[in-house]
Amino acid sequence: MSNKLTKMPEWKALADHHKEASSVHIRDLFVRDPARFDHFHLRHEGLLYDYSKHNITAETRTLLLDLAKVCGAESLRGDMFGGKTINNTEDRAVLHTALRRPAKDNVKVDGENVMPLVHAALEKMKQAAQAVRSGEWKGHTGKSITDVVAIGIGGSILGPRMAVKALAPYTDRNLKFHFVSNVDGSDLSETLLNLRRETTLFIVASKTFTTQETMTNALSAKDWLCGRQSHDIAKSHFIAVTAEVKNAADFGIAPENVFPLWDWVGGRYSIWSSVGLPLCIAIGPENFQKFLDGAYSMDRHFQDAPPEENIPVIMALAGIWQRNFCDRPALAILPYEQYLAGLPSYLSQLEMESNGKSVDRDGNKIDYATCPVLFGETGTDAQHSFFQMLHQGTDITPCDFILCAKTQHPMGDHHRKLLANGIAQMQAMMQGKEDTKNPHRNFNGNRPSTAIVLDRLDPYYLGMLLALYEHKVFVQGAIWNLNSFDQWGVELGKVQAKTVLSSLENSGAQGLDSSTQGLIRHVKSR
Ligand code: F6P
């Protein structure tokens, strides 16, 4: 068992500090320091990060920064940006940050500068996006595209699905975007219901081009498109985004319609690559570049800002404090912005697939908690569903509130009411309200929350926000000594699904436990 982390003096100092600090209510921290907000918030351009409503003092912060230092987060950061093979279990570099860097930069993987590849792919993506948007891209009957159907799953679809919705005001409203991920035929069937074959473009994104769900959907989409006609007509209706060019060619995708991906871009970090093609078509090349620029600006901040002013570093440390020292098992993601409805599930994958691990980088079992459970919903809807538990449940759940100072739709006082609700909820969670007569109406408060306030939700600030979370996950993984860039935990279920599938297709279900056999027998008998 690797317990190096919990044996470190810096870890022990934090555990000791927690014993004293836990008796202090957050509202008392505000009483002690009336300028607490000034001392516990950071800004980067039009992004404000407020952690003043955490049970964190200046001493807590110093001790957490000491921990980050001894855990080598800084040198690992240099290794990531520098293209070193930090994904040790898959023997790969981790270079999603290269995807937003300027062309003049030099980033080497195995001695080769990857920036020319990155920018050639970006150029190809921008040209295709422009062709679809202008109507120049024609289907097999010579008609322009009206509907784009993105097919993929996990990291190959969550990003574009979330971002196309988030940036709807920037999209070409003449084009319709659809996202199909589930192997459940209802997903594809419902999507195809109102589409016209001649004007539909499918973008199949799969790094491996072997993922069961994606390939099943792609094949059914091709059957729907071609019907009894030659499969050649699919050529102008199918694009592949993949690292496995041969698999895409075998599927019948024209070589010029294959967009590259590299093994040093992880699925959940891939929205900046050709996986972002649906987004690039939706918002156009210029806005897509702004999206990359926003992320790049956060990359620079993460690389250059001193640790105590570094938003991803402090955000990661506040999370480590809540998870490991205050024993908080979950994190709620609460965008007070309807356009960010897809953010909770995007961040669930980003954090839980990256840091939901129980062995360290060297495969040693660890004796400390790692990634919390992420869940969430937009405000104010969430207030009327699970906020009861956030205010009065037995578990304390830290919350990330994401607000935008300006709205896309200045309609009456809607936006003021939205902001008022978000800000008030954070205050209520922190402050509480004592009711000595009626325990049902008593609020203890002392429930931590983070506020992230964007000046506005546009391509630039969406890019910045996503990069912030990526780097937060990175710093937490560095401290927990995890490989945040593999996902072996998803493999076993995939293999078992094949065995169960063959039992469903054939008669035998031998070698399986009685529950699995019973379920197979039951569904077959209905
Ligand atoms: O099952 C998890 C996963 O491997 C994700 O990490 C990945 O984003 C997704 O599946 C899709 O994989 P692919 O892009 O190869 O189809």
Side-chain angles (χ1 to χ4, degrees):
M1 176 180 288
S2 157
N3 50 15
K4 229 171 102 205
L5 180 61
T6 50
K7 291 277 179 287
M8 283 177 178
E10 290 76 10
W11 184 277
K12 289 189 165 167
L14 276 158
D16 289 343
H17 171 67
H18 179 256
K19 283 183 205 142
E20 296 157 27
S22 58
S23 60
V24 183
H25 197 289
I26 307 171
R27 70 175 167 246
D28 294 329
L29 299 177
F30 280 91
V31 174
R32 281 185 203 171
D33 176 7
R36 183 169 164 81
F37 175 73
D38 295 342
H39 301 144
F40 292 88
H41 85 267
L42 295 166
R43 277 183 205 197
H44 175 63
E45 300 180 24
L47 182 150
L48 178 142
Y49 163 70
D50 170 25
Y51 62 112
S52 62
K53 292 196 197 71
H54 280 253
N55 49 331
I56 287 177
T57 62
E59 188 187 351
T60 324
R61 182 171 54 200
T62 305
L63 294 172
L64 286 164
L65 286 164
D66 290 347
L67 182 70
K69 200 165 179 187
V70 289
C71 290
E74 240 175 75
S75 75
L76 194 68
R77 177 183 67 193
D79 290 348
M80 175 175 72
F81 279 91
K84 293 230 174 92
T85 311
I86 65 166
N87 177 352
N88 60 321
T89 60
E90 295 181 312
D91 197 25
R92 293 172 181 171
V94 173
L95 273 177
H96 47 280
T97 53
L99 302 169
R100 42 233 195 185
R101 286 176 82 140
K104 63 174 174 34
D105 283 6
N106 191 329
V107 182
K108 288 201 168 122
V109 177
D110 297 330
E112 188 198 354
N113 179 15
V114 297
M115 292 314 295
L117 292 177
V118 167
H119 278 267
L122 180 59
E123 199 41 47
K124 181 174 160 112
M125 181 170 29
K126 287 178 174 174
Q127 277 175 15
Q130 201 43 47
V132 175
R133 287 166 66 85
S134 66
E136 194 190 312
W137 186 297
K138 308 278 192 225
H140 69 285
T141 58
K143 294 210 168 100
S144 300
I145 299 302
T146 57
D147 291 84
V148 175
V149 180
I151 297 178
I153 200 160
S156 292
I157 203 161
L158 281 166
R161 177 188 268 157
M162 173 274 297
V164 167
K165 186 171 171 63
L167 298 175
Y170 296 85
T171 59
D172 179 343
R173 303 281 190 169
N174 292 319
L175 282 168
K176 296 272 171 288
F177 291 83
H178 315 267
F179 296 87
V180 176
S181 53
N182 201 331
V183 75
D184 184 341
S186 309
D187 198 3
L188 183 63
S189 303
E190 279 293 332
T191 304
L192 297 178
L193 267 184
N194 297 318
L195 299 188
R196 290 170 59 209
R197 290 170 174 78
E198 317 173 80
T199 60
T200 298
L201 176 66
F202 292 95
I203 302 178
V204 184
S206 174
K207 194 167 157 184
T208 54
F209 229 73
T210 56
T211 302
Q212 186 197 53
E213 295 90 330
T214 303
M215 298 327 298
T216 306
N217 279 322
L219 277 171
S220 298
K222 190 154 86 167
D223 287 347
W224 171 84
L225 183 92
C226 300
R228 293 209 185 115
Q229 300 187 69
S230 153
H231 275 195
D232 268 3
I233 69 162
K235 288 215 152 55
S236 50
H237 292 269
F238 270 83
I239 283 177
V241 176
T242 186
E244 299 299 334
V245 175
K246 180 163 180 321
N247 293 351
D250 291 347
F251 182 88
I253 295 190
E256 64 276 18
N257 291 351
V258 178
F259 288 69
L261 205 56
W262 305 277
D263 71 358
W264 38 264
V265 180
R268 53 195 176 275
Y269 298 88
S270 66
I271 189 178
W272 324 99
S273 71
S274 307
V275 167
L277 181 59
L279 177 64
C280 189
I281 297 173
I283 62 176
E286 272 180 36
N287 279 322
F288 190 76
Q289 187 58 55
K290 288 183 188 154
F291 174 67
L292 298 179
D293 292 345
Y296 178 63
S297 171
M298 181 50 71
D299 294 342
R300 297 297 304 269
H301 167 80
F302 179 46
Q303 285 180 290
D304 298 342
E308 63 281 8
E309 290 166 23
N310 197 306
I311 302 177
V313 170
I314 296 291
M315 194 168 160
L317 291 173
I320 295 267
W321 172 248
Q322 297 301 345
R323 182 74 188 105
N324 295 110
F325 300 97
C326 307
D327 199 19
R328 270 98 204 229
L331 171 66
I333 303 293
L334 306 167
Y336 273 64
E337 169 58 67
Q338 193 58 30
Y339 285 122
L340 287 177
L343 191 67
S345 56
Y346 177 80
L347 294 182
S348 297
Q349 190 206 17
L350 179 67
E351 298 216 10
M352 292 160 80
E353 199 166 75
S354 296
N355 286 341
K357 319 249 159 101
S358 50
V359 295
D360 71 12
R361 298 175 63 77
D362 302 315
N364 302 306
K365 189 149 176 37
I366 54 181
D367 63 353
Y368 43 88
T370 58
C371 190
V373 175
L374 269 81
F375 68 103
E377 173 65 89
T378 47
T380 58
D381 288 85
Q383 291 174 203
H384 299 270
S385 56
F386 55 76
F387 267 45
Q388 162 63 38
M389 183 261 201
L390 299 182
H391 284 288
Q392 289 185 320
T394 49
D395 273 312
I396 293 187
T397 303
C399 301
D400 284 3
F401 284 77
I402 298 151
L403 312 171
C404 299
K406 294 257 180 325
T407 177
Q408 299 282 353
H409 299 285
M411 185 192 283
D413 59 358
H414 285 240
H415 194 59
R416 271 199 305 282
K417 285 179 175 161
L418 177 71
L419 292 178
N421 271 282
I423 294 169
Q425 289 294 331
M426 288 184 268
Q427 192 203 22
M429 284 177 184
M430 180 274 284
Q431 200 98 39
K433 188 169 188 293
E434 203 180 10
D435 190 327
T436 46
K437 291 197 192 106
N438 185 348
H440 298 285
R441 288 175 172 271
N442 188 60
F443 291 80
N444 290 330
N446 207 20
R447 293 177 181 242
S449 66
T450 299
I452 297 172
V453 188
L454 307 178
D455 277 0
R456 61 192 170 278
L457 182 63
D458 64 9
Y460 186 83
Y461 281 109
L462 181 67
M464 188 182 285
L465 178 71
L466 302 185
L468 166 60
Y469 273 95
E470 285 180 350
H471 296 324
K472 173 206 129 170
V473 169
F474 174 85
V475 174
Q476 292 189 333
I479 292 172
W480 287 325
N481 193 21
L482 306 173
N483 178 0
S484 303
F485 301 100
D486 62 13
Q487 54 284 316
W488 298 107
V490 300
E491 295 304 323
L492 179 60
K494 290 185 193 171
V495 174
Q496 298 295 83
K498 286 193 185 139
T499 311
V500 173
L501 179 61
S502 82
S503 296
L504 282 173
E505 285 167 349
N506 310 305
S507 54
Q510 290 85 15
L512 298 170
D513 62 88
S514 68
S515 170
T516 308
Q517 284 196 36
L519 290 171
I520 291 170
R521 263 199 317 274
H522 178 73
V523 294
K524 279 172 91 168
S525 71
R526 306 319 283 171

